[in-house]
Amino acid sequence: MRLNDSTKLAEIHEMGFDILNAPRKGKGGGVGFIWNLKTVKLVRNNVEKHSSFESLEAVLKTSTEILRLCVIYRSTSQKRYLQTKEAKFFEEFNDYLDCLATKSGQPLVCGDFNFHVENPADSSASRFLSLIEEKGFMQHVTGPTHVSGGTLDLVLTKDTEGDSIEIRDLYISENTGTNSDHFFVGFSTPLCPIPCAGKSWITKEVREMSKIDLDEFKEDIKSKLPDPCDVVSLTQAIEIYDSTLRQILDYHAPLKEIHVNENESTWFNSKCKDARRERRKAERIYKKDKDPEALQNYKEKQIDAAIIIDKARHKFFSEKLSGAKGNAKATYRIINSLMDKEFVKK
């Protein structure tokens, strides 16, 4: 994003998200956090500026603790000063980690560090890994995160019991939906954010059926259901069948509560929801199978969803502007919403 890109901010807010960012002057870029307003509330934490890397911090409260989110970007664009900048980075990042240790919350540090940590012969990468190990951090990403190869985008957490954040289901996807030469690194944690106040929430119980190991599931059914010859009556058979299958299902995919927000963008119609659902379905299949055909299907569903959602938004606001023709106040109100500005009544 560019500095003061109000139209892009408006689009982010319309989709039910918010953003904290530190844009880079000039051609754009920088670091930032984007989160779902329905489920999470982030609070920005001011950090000291550094000459060798960009950083941004935010605090997230969960039901049990405080999580300190940190995003880092180390540029290598000025090749002529690479050695000088590297030396400065190690000095400043050492101080940054020392400062981080004095702050509240469990740190989760992510970003593009531009070190080839996959290469043990790379002296700079080895020095970086030694530094984070010395400071009590561990690195979770394995595999290339760039089109040219190399593990450059990293996820760091504390390596000490009691301070460590559990990183689950980490994956790397070549398809980011952007023209970036870096891949998408995704993961989950077992932490449960405190739901935002002032929202209309529905509590649902769901099961993560996609995570069931089908072979183990089938084996449990075979071994735990009784022999039909041992069942006395039809009623007893139904009761045993129901209770046994429920126990097996609870073991493999236990029920968990999720909070769903009822509010949705006015223009986000049923076609948008269907397209989003199909995109998510394709993404789950790709993550599970890692198949080239599944990846291609996921890319196509991403493009389809983007086109459908963009058309719905364009049609909605075009009709609103047409309906407000001749009414300057209503027109300005619509334009201000598109520019992420509040309408001021004079």
Side-chain angles (χ1 to χ4, degrees):
M1 284 185 64
R2 297 182 182 276
L3 194 64
N4 300 321
D5 193 346
S6 57
T7 54
K8 183 57 65 177
L9 289 172
E11 193 171 348
I12 289 170
H13 292 152
E14 277 177 29
M15 295 297 293
F17 293 84
D18 205 351
I19 182 170
L20 285 177
N21 67 324
R24 194 179 306 130
K25 291 181 180 179
K27 65 177 183 179
V31 291
F33 299 103
I34 295 179
W35 71 95
N36 191 331
L37 280 168
K38 301 172 183 178
T39 55
V40 173
K41 181 180 180 182
L42 293 187
V43 178
R44 185 170 186 160
N45 186 233
N46 292 327
V47 293
E48 180 184 347
K49 288 188 176 181
H50 303 89
S51 62
S52 61
F53 65 93
E54 300 170 39
S55 62
L56 187 65
E57 287 184 18
V59 173
L60 168 65
K61 289 185 178 180
T62 73
S63 55
T64 56
E65 54 205 319
I66 296 174
L67 185 62
R68 182 169 294 275
L69 305 173
C70 315
V71 61
I72 304 290
Y73 172 66
R74 186 183 80 88
S75 174
T76 57
S77 58
Q78 294 175 302
K79 300 294 183 183
R80 207 155 50 118
Y81 304 107
L82 183 59
Q83 297 301 322
T84 305
K85 290 187 73 178
E86 268 192 14
K88 187 66 174 175
F89 171 80
F90 284 116
E91 176 189 333
E92 290 188 334
F93 196 61
N94 179 83
D95 294 340
Y96 176 79
L97 293 179
D98 284 341
C99 181
L100 199 59
T102 67
K103 296 180 179 180
S104 61
Q106 296 186 18
L108 174 59
V109 184
C110 304
D112 175 12
F113 288 87
N114 269 310
F115 288 117
H116 283 267
V117 298
E118 83 289 349
N119 183 6
D122 189 311
S123 59
S124 298
S126 296
R127 184 180 176 186
F128 173 76
L129 292 174
S130 296
L131 172 62
I132 64 171
E133 184 179 359
E134 176 190 327
K135 300 298 179 181
F137 283 83
M138 64 184 298
Q139 201 286 113
H140 296 269
V141 181
T142 57
T145 65
H146 191 271
V147 291
S148 301
T151 306
L152 310 179
D153 304 272
L154 312 177
V155 176
L156 313 178
T157 62
K158 293 293 285 184
D159 195 20
T160 52
E161 190 175 349
D163 292 326
S164 180
I165 300 164
E166 184 182 355
I167 300 297
R168 296 179 177 175
D169 305 322
L170 190 145
Y171 67 95
I172 301 169
S173 174
E174 298 178 13
N175 188 31
T176 64
T178 71
N179 60 359
S180 173
D181 53 2
H182 286 258
F183 300 154
F184 178 79
V185 179
F187 59 89
S188 62
T189 73
L191 302 174
C192 180
I194 298 174
C196 301
K199 301 283 183 180
S200 178
W201 295 96
I202 300 174
T203 301
K204 290 185 176 180
E205 286 189 330
V206 298
R207 297 182 190 271
E208 293 182 294
M209 307 294 281
S210 61
K211 293 186 177 181
I212 292 178
D213 185 311
L214 291 179
D215 292 333
E216 290 184 9
F217 189 66
K218 290 175 183 176
E219 190 59 38
D220 270 358
I221 292 175
K222 288 179 182 178
S223 63
K224 293 182 179 179
L225 281 178
D227 190 314
C229 298
D230 297 332
V231 179
V232 177
S233 65
L234 177 61
T235 302
Q236 185 191 37
I238 292 172
E239 289 176 355
I240 293 173
Y241 181 84
D242 181 69
S243 61
T244 303
L245 288 185
R246 191 175 298 277
Q247 287 173 8
I248 295 171
L249 192 57
D250 285 341
Y251 175 77
H252 288 274
L255 282 169
K256 70 174 188 177
E257 284 190 354
I258 62 169
H259 302 283
V260 182
N261 188 279
E262 291 182 296
N263 300 324
E264 196 79 73
S265 297
T266 311
W267 54 266
F268 203 84
N269 56 32
S270 59
K271 289 183 179 179
C272 295
K273 292 176 183 178
D274 289 341
R276 182 176 63 182
R277 192 179 299 112
E278 288 297 313
R279 182 186 62 195
R280 287 175 176 171
K281 181 181 177 182
E283 181 183 12
R284 286 194 297 271
I285 293 171
Y286 165 62
K287 285 181 185 177
K288 183 179 179 181
D289 299 340
K290 300 295 182 182
D291 182 73
E293 289 186 9
L295 174 60
Q296 182 59 36
N297 182 54
Y298 174 39
K299 288 180 177 179
E300 290 172 1
K301 295 298 181 183
Q302 272 196 320
I303 295 170
D304 291 345
I307 292 172
I308 290 169
I309 291 170
D310 185 62
K311 282 184 176 180
R313 184 173 183 265
H314 183 270
K315 181 182 178 183
F316 175 81
F317 283 106
S318 294
E319 290 176 353
K320 282 196 74 174
L321 284 168
S322 297
K325 191 174 182 179
N327 187 335
K329 188 179 288 187
T331 301
Y332 277 115
R333 185 178 285 111
I334 296 167
I335 293 172
N336 281 334
S337 70
L338 287 169
M339 298 293 290
D340 203 40
K341 297 177 181 178
E342 290 186 3
F343 176 76
V344 180
K345 185 178 179 180
K346 293 186 178 180

